[in-house]
Amino acid sequence: LDEPSSRTISVKADYTGGTSDEETLKIGELVPSSKSVVVKGPLEIISKIAYAKATVNLDGFISHSVNIVNVELELFDSDGALIKDSYPAEYEYIEIGETAEDKRIDVYVPVYMIKELPVVPQYMYGIFESKNINCDIFPGTVTVRGDVSLIEKLTEISTAPIDDTMIGLSRSLQIG
């Protein structure tokens, strides 16, 4: 084998599987705790390593807004092939980082909730209520996306306050 060598490679994060509720929960961009890692080993093999990847398995993933998952790094060549599969005999001579802990990395996995909510008119003075006025709102619903703990509590979206003293028998208003 060649002389030992080292180089810094970039770290990518990716995921497999899906969330526990794929209809309403969406995964944001995964962020590894480190953008790069040092690999050491025979120059012949080290030179073929293009990047390290931390792959998070999301099957049945928890629906919190902030999730940090610790996963093992895998090394890939420029064609996307796993180094340990392509060079099994030489792979045992490759070191990732300075310590055994450097082979693992934390990955921030943001989870967002998407929810369609009805738009409900909000009147300033309480003269009108839904039972004594025919009010058409366009659009009648809006789709919101955000932090799970906030979005899951929402049941509707209110319009900007409507001055109900200004509404006559037939009138269109544009708000907002």
Side-chain angles (χ1 to χ4, degrees):
L1 290 174
D2 291 337
E3 286 292 314
S5 183
S6 68
R7 67 187 269 248
T8 301
I9 58 170
S10 63
V11 174
K12 298 179 181 183
D14 200 3
Y15 65 89
T16 60
T19 62
S20 56
D21 181 2
E22 292 190 28
E23 283 293 312
T24 59
L25 299 177
K26 300 298 178 193
I27 304 300
E29 183 178 343
L30 277 62
V31 181
S33 60
S34 178
K35 300 277 186 212
S36 63
V37 67
V38 174
V39 289
K40 299 175 185 175
L43 179 61
E44 177 186 344
I45 304 303
I46 296 297
S47 64
K48 295 179 189 305
I49 299 172
Y51 59 93
K53 184 165 70 170
T55 304
V56 177
N57 181 355
L58 295 181
D59 285 335
F61 202 66
I62 337 171
S63 63
H64 301 301
S65 296
V66 177
N67 299 279
I68 296 177
V69 182
N70 187 268
V71 294
E72 188 169 337
L73 288 170
E74 295 180 300
L75 304 175
F76 291 84
D77 66 17
S78 60
D79 294 327
L82 197 56
I83 294 291
K84 74 177 176 184
D85 291 345
S86 301
Y87 306 95
E90 297 87 349
Y91 185 75
E92 67 180 271
Y93 299 104
I94 297 174
E95 295 177 27
I96 301 174
E98 299 294 324
T99 67
E101 290 83 31
D102 293 338
K103 292 180 182 180
R104 299 187 67 81
I105 192 167
D106 287 337
V107 178
Y108 168 67
V109 183
V111 179
Y112 302 100
M113 178 173 266
I114 296 176
K115 194 173 187 181
E116 188 171 339
L117 298 168
V119 178
V120 177
Q122 177 185 5
Y123 300 104
M124 274 185 190
Y125 302 105
I127 296 170
F128 294 112
E129 297 174 6
S130 59
K131 63 184 175 189
N132 63 4
I133 188 171
N134 182 14
C135 182
D136 294 319
I137 306 287
F138 296 101
T141 62
V142 293
T143 302
V144 294
R145 173 185 182 252
D147 184 278
V148 175
S149 62
L150 298 174
I151 301 300
E152 70 184 353
K153 295 175 187 173
L154 295 177
T155 58
E156 64 188 29
I157 298 293
S158 296
T159 63
I162 300 169
D163 183 351
D164 41 357
T165 62
M166 300 300 291
I167 298 176
L169 292 177
S170 178
R171 182 159 181 179
S172 285
L173 295 175
Q174 185 169 347
I175 328 172

